[in-house]
Amino acid sequence: MPDENQQPNQPPAPPNPERKTLDDRAKMTELERIRHSCAHVMATAILRLWPDAQFAAGPPVENGFYYDVDLKHRISPEDFPKIEEEMKKEIKANNVFEKLVVTREQAMKDSESGRLGGLTERPGNPSKFKLGNLEAIPEGEPISYFKNGDFVDLCAGPHVMRTGNIGAFKLTSVAAAYYKGDEKGPQLQRIYGTAFKNKTALDEYFKMLEEAKRRDHRKIGAEMGLFAIDTEFVGPGMPLWLPKGTVLVEELEKLAKETEFAAGYVRVRTPHLAKEKMYRTSGHLPYYEESMFPPMLVSEDTSDKAEWERVKAMAGPAQKHAYELAKQLFNSGGFKDAKQIQEWKQAAATKKDADQAVQEFFSSTKYYLKAMNCPHHHRIFAAEPRSYRDLPLRLAEYGTCYRFEQGGELFGLMRVRSMNMNDAHIYCQPEKFAEEFNAVNEMYLKYFKIFGIEKYVMRFSTSAPEGLGKKYVNEPALWKQTEDMVRQVLIDSKINYVEVPNEAAFYGPKIDVQVWSVIGREFTLATNQVDFAVPAKFGLTYRDRDNTDKTPLCIHRAPLGTHERFIGFLIEHYAGNFPLWLAPDQVRVITIGAEDDPASAPLMKYAKDIASELRAAQVRVSTDFGNNPIKAKIQDAEQLRVHTMLVIGGRDMDAGAVSVRLHGKGPQGAKPKGEVVADILAGIKERRA
């Protein structure tokens, strides 16, 4: 599942990014150079106001830049105007960004004198963070400063030519941050800002931010009664779908099932948990254990005698004491925390037999909540003998998964701990890979058309040689083969993509699907991954034409990602104004007249018959036959974002018609009843935008 939780403005002090290599820096865009330069200008301005300021890192980031500063004065948004005023002076001065290459010894000297990250030397106030940054520069890499006016900083660049090239800028927020992201390090102030080539682009950005606030899925979700997060009783990051939100979930699942059925998928269902052995075999535990919920110990009928014998042999005859065995287990990774050791210590204090205690521990099997569906699907593949005639085998499931995301990373529906994944795994022969992988990408494009997503890019993530055996499965030949295959499919299909090194899944290359909403916000929507390693770990084989057993390739794909994240995206994309087929409230029949007025009886029957006809056709229809004035009834329906309002008065009834009103678009005029009903049913069936 994608791991992004990007917001339209800067988040509250994320961990420091890894230091960019010189190659990474050379690839910085013009906008990134502007923002990096603006960070230096901001530091210049802060030093003019508070000369004792000590600066750490100041990189460009998505949507802007920041600089970490150690300063007795607590900078607040009230300080921004005077900082910006000093920044304008530096930009007007049009100082050159001058690069100076120095020796490590000179950089040490300038750090100790306080010159780096300062306007002058500062005796008794050394540049302590620059000393730390200097240590991070590898031996043999050139050490450089960048100087603009009086400000000199340890920096590898790049920058724009002059401060006057920066364009338009604005400071946006301030937050706390630890030096280099280490909670044990000093806490600094992180000042955020953004910069663009010109004021028009800057104004458009802040206009987008305001629109993003209006469309915030948490705000709209509460207004529409779509979902709730009950942190007290259920827990953070585990949304409860309310009736109207459940409509969205089920409509998306219906769409996926229809699309996948047409594409030859078969549906499966798997449990919400599995034994530790499952995730050890797949290789997920070493890579994902920190993001999985802790294991549950469940007593089984028989103990794992082989494991017990291993522990006894490891402990030796002189260490039969339960506490000593516990320490041995802890050191070998058998215990998760010191609390379990303490429990064993207490057992030893009561002279509980060590042999019995260890056997009791190993008679308990570890189960994990399912964090990913793929190992379960691999076991389904293995459940029956397979032949090349059975392939490609496309197994699809809306499987619920659980991941223990950090509390500070949880965000509405965008980052959750309980998620329903639109998952599937395609098992195929290598010669069928291109066809299958391209079909998945074509499925993405179909969904984009349905949801009106016009801007997208496939982010093709590959491995890095230095990560083999650590971050990635150590199979260099298979990495090259599968990466070449994916790249060729993308080229042949003329799909818009970018290649990103060193961000693949541990078992193979992947594609993250980046999309933009109608207001220009970027989201990581879904993934498409190649797996050449895990099927072999599970011993998955099929009998090929030559009567030999071969291991299939596996394609992991989730075109709609998770219900939670995708619905969060759709709420903001549509601002809650969903198309008819997806809207929780599709139609409301409203009468000009009240149900308790005897004179309105014929009108009520006419209106009720229309509502009944729609409901019989599975349309989500409600009625308002109350005493309120018609304007109030319409206003109520508009506030609830009812997609289509059928307003019916005496004239409509007499003409066999209804007056149609669409949410946010106003009156559409009176039309024959049959025509309106037919159009509603067709719009739902065709999933019109």
Side-chain angles (χ1 to χ4, degrees):
M1 174 185 166
D3 194 40
E4 352 40 348
N5 185 23
Q6 299 295 338
Q7 303 309 309
N9 53 359
Q10 288 81 10
N16 287 46
E18 293 183 6
R19 183 178 181 272
K20 291 183 182 296
T21 66
L22 295 181
D23 286 342
D24 291 335
R25 290 174 179 273
K27 296 173 184 175
M28 282 171 61
T29 65
E30 181 185 1
L31 189 56
E32 287 174 320
R33 292 173 188 236
I34 288 173
R35 289 169 174 172
H36 188 192
S37 304
C38 200
H40 281 233
V41 168
M42 180 179 72
T44 306
I46 289 174
L47 282 164
R48 288 175 182 168
L49 296 167
W50 300 283
D52 61 328
Q54 286 274 4
F55 290 94
V61 292
E62 185 176 10
N63 300 322
F65 61 87
Y66 70 76
Y67 224 128
D68 288 343
V69 59
D70 184 23
L71 183 63
K72 290 180 181 178
H73 174 76
R74 303 305 299 175
I75 293 178
S76 72
E78 285 71 32
D79 294 315
F80 288 174
K82 59 184 178 184
I83 297 173
E84 290 173 344
E85 192 59 37
E86 290 296 331
M87 292 174 69
K88 289 175 184 176
K89 293 177 184 177
E90 177 63 15
I91 289 173
K92 187 176 181 180
N94 201 24
N95 287 314
V96 173
F97 278 100
E98 182 182 1
K99 183 176 182 179
L100 306 170
V101 178
V102 299
T103 64
R104 189 174 293 269
E105 291 72 24
Q106 181 64 47
M108 290 287 292
K109 180 181 176 181
D110 290 337
S111 296
E112 289 165 357
S113 73
R115 183 67 183 96
L116 288 185
L119 301 179
T120 62
E121 290 189 359
R122 295 180 286 182
N125 190 18
S127 309
K128 53 188 176 182
F129 302 115
K130 301 304 172 182
L131 287 166
N133 293 351
L134 187 59
E135 292 174 359
I137 300 176
E139 289 292 337
E141 182 177 308
I143 295 172
S144 62
Y145 301 165
F146 269 87
K147 181 176 185 294
N148 57 283
D150 294 328
F151 181 65
V152 176
D153 202 8
L154 180 69
C155 180
H159 290 277
V160 294
M161 185 68 70
R162 293 176 173 273
T163 59
N165 299 135
I166 284 176
F169 70 91
K170 186 174 181 61
L171 302 186
T172 55
S173 61
V174 60
Y178 291 104
Y179 178 53
K180 293 188 175 180
D182 184 355
E183 293 183 3
K184 296 179 181 178
Q187 191 177 74
L188 309 175
Q189 301 180 67
R190 180 166 289 181
I191 318 301
Y192 284 106
T194 192
F196 288 87
K197 294 180 182 178
N198 52 56
K199 190 173 184 302
T200 299
L202 182 73
D203 290 344
E204 288 176 354
Y205 171 73
F206 281 100
K207 182 180 178 181
M208 184 272 286
L209 287 188
E210 287 303 312
E211 182 64 14
K213 288 180 183 178
R214 187 180 74 82
R215 292 171 177 254
D216 189 311
H217 75 279
R218 296 166 299 176
K219 173 177 174 289
I220 293 176
E223 292 171 355
M224 296 183 68
L226 301 178
F227 66 94
I229 296 178
D230 185 341
T231 57
E232 182 179 2
F233 287 94
V234 180
M238 291 184 278
L240 299 169
W241 291 105
L242 305 181
K244 290 184 178 181
T246 302
V247 167
L248 301 176
V249 171
E250 292 184 343
E251 285 293 341
L252 291 179
E253 188 165 350
K254 180 182 177 183
L255 169 63
K257 286 180 176 178
E258 290 177 4
T259 303
E260 289 164 357
F261 181 82
Y265 288 74
V266 291
R267 304 205 68 78
V268 296
R269 294 177 69 87
T270 59
H272 290 236
L273 72 170
K275 288 183 175 182
E276 178 184 34
K277 183 177 182 180
M278 171 89 89
Y279 302 112
R280 289 251 177 242
T281 302
S282 70
H284 283 98
L285 270 181
Y287 294 96
Y288 290 102
E289 191 167 11
E290 289 185 2
S291 64
M292 295 174 71
F293 275 86
M296 296 171 279
L297 293 179
V298 181
S299 179
E300 302 284 9
D301 293 336
T302 59
S303 62
D304 188 337
K305 290 191 166 76
E307 183 70 358
W308 161 226
E309 291 300 326
R310 183 187 71 81
V311 173
K312 279 206 302 185
M314 177 181 67
Q319 292 183 321
K320 293 298 185 184
H321 193 282
Y323 180 45
E324 292 301 323
L325 283 173
K327 286 197 294 185
Q328 292 277 356
L329 281 167
F330 179 73
N331 292 334
S332 68
F335 279 95
K336 294 293 180 187
D337 54 48
K339 181 181 177 184
Q340 290 179 304
I341 292 182
Q342 184 63 26
E343 291 172 354
W344 277 65
K345 188 174 181 180
Q346 292 170 356
T350 61
K351 303 188 186 310
K352 188 173 183 179
D353 180 76
D355 188 271
Q356 177 189 345
V358 175
Q359 291 210 52
E360 285 179 3
F361 176 79
F362 281 112
S363 69
S364 297
T365 302
K366 292 181 185 178
Y367 282 84
Y368 282 88
L369 283 172
K370 181 171 63 173
M372 62 289 296
N373 294 309
C374 38
H376 289 75
H377 289 189
H378 295 334
R379 298 310 300 162
I380 288 177
F381 184 97
E384 298 175 349
R386 306 290 180 182
S387 159
Y388 71 92
R389 295 184 181 88
D390 302 317
L391 304 186
L393 177 63
R394 309 177 188 98
L395 303 180
E397 176 181 20
Y398 260 103
T400 305
C401 296
Y402 306 88
R403 296 185 184 174
F404 192 74
E405 303 287 359
Q406 296 301 309
E409 297 176 346
L410 298 175
F411 180 75
L413 296 177
M414 299 299 187
R415 195 70 172 254
V416 295
R417 289 175 174 167
S418 170
M419 61 207 73
N420 293 280
M421 298 187 70
N422 166 225
D423 218 349
H425 297 88
I426 303 170
Y427 302 88
C428 66
Q429 308 99 310
E431 60 269 24
K432 291 287 186 179
F433 170 80
E435 180 182 344
E436 292 298 314
F437 201 78
N438 186 60
V440 172
N441 290 335
E442 290 295 325
M443 187 180 289
Y444 284 119
L445 299 180
K446 176 182 178 180
Y447 286 140
F448 294 166
K449 185 175 181 180
I450 290 173
F451 295 107
I453 297 170
E454 297 180 354
K455 183 180 178 182
Y456 74 91
V457 66
M458 303 289 190
R459 197 168 183 269
F460 173 33
S461 298
T462 59
S463 63
E466 62 272 17
L468 297 182
K470 301 171 186 176
K471 186 176 178 181
Y472 308 114
V473 173
N474 192 14
E475 295 282 357
L478 286 173
W479 276 107
K480 183 179 187 313
Q481 177 188 358
T482 52
E483 286 173 356
D484 287 347
M485 290 165 69
V486 172
R487 189 180 295 109
Q488 196 59 51
V489 171
L490 292 170
I491 292 171
D492 291 345
S493 58
K494 296 181 173 56
I495 286 179
N496 183 30
Y497 82 97
V498 294
E499 191 162 329
V500 184
N502 201 23
E503 290 192 15
F506 78 88
Y507 48 68
K510 69 170 181 173
I511 287 175
D512 289 318
V513 183
Q514 306 294 120
V515 299
W516 280 259
S517 69
V518 291
I519 63 167
R521 279 197 60 195
E522 182 181 0
F523 291 79
T524 301
L525 188 65
T527 61
N528 191 8
Q529 303 172 353
V530 185
D531 183 354
F532 58 75
V534 181
K537 291 183 177 183
F538 280 99
L540 304 188
T541 62
Y542 65 94
R543 184 56 60 94
D544 207 353
R545 288 182 175 86
D546 60 6
N547 209 32
T548 61
D549 288 336
K550 295 181 180 177
T551 301
L553 277 176
C554 179
I555 300 172
H556 303 238
R557 43 109 288 179
L560 299 180
T562 70
H563 278 320
E564 289 74 15
R565 184 171 182 79
F566 190 57
I567 290 174
F569 165 77
L570 290 179
I571 291 171
E572 299 189 1
H573 183 60
Y574 291 121
N577 304 319
F578 299 104
L580 178 62
W581 70 272
L582 190 56
D585 292 299
Q586 291 178 313
V587 178
R588 177 166 293 188
V589 179
I590 302 171
T591 55
I592 303 174
E595 191 172 17
D596 57 3
D597 179 5
S600 297
L603 177 64
M604 294 302 120
K605 182 179 185 308
Y606 181 72
K608 288 178 181 179
D609 286 346
I610 293 174
S612 295
E613 182 179 354
L614 290 169
R615 190 170 291 111
Q618 301 295 304
V619 177
R620 295 183 287 277
V621 61
S622 59
T623 61
D624 188 347
F625 300 158
N627 291 307
N628 287 333
I630 189 63
K631 285 186 178 180
K633 292 181 179 182
I634 291 172
Q635 184 178 17
D636 181 60
E638 289 280 2
Q639 288 177 344
L640 292 173
R641 294 179 169 85
V642 176
H643 184 278
T644 299
M645 289 152 267
L646 305 183
V647 182
I648 304 172
R651 291 181 182 176
D652 298 299
M653 178 185 66
D654 293 341
V658 295
S659 294
V660 180
R661 183 183 182 95
L662 300 181
H663 170 63
K665 297 180 179 179
Q668 305 296 303
K671 301 177 182 179
K673 181 200 76 171
E675 178 184 317
V676 170
V677 170
D679 188 59
I680 288 172
L681 298 182
I684 294 171
K685 182 179 180 181
E686 297 166 12
R687 293 190 175 97
R688 294 176 188 163

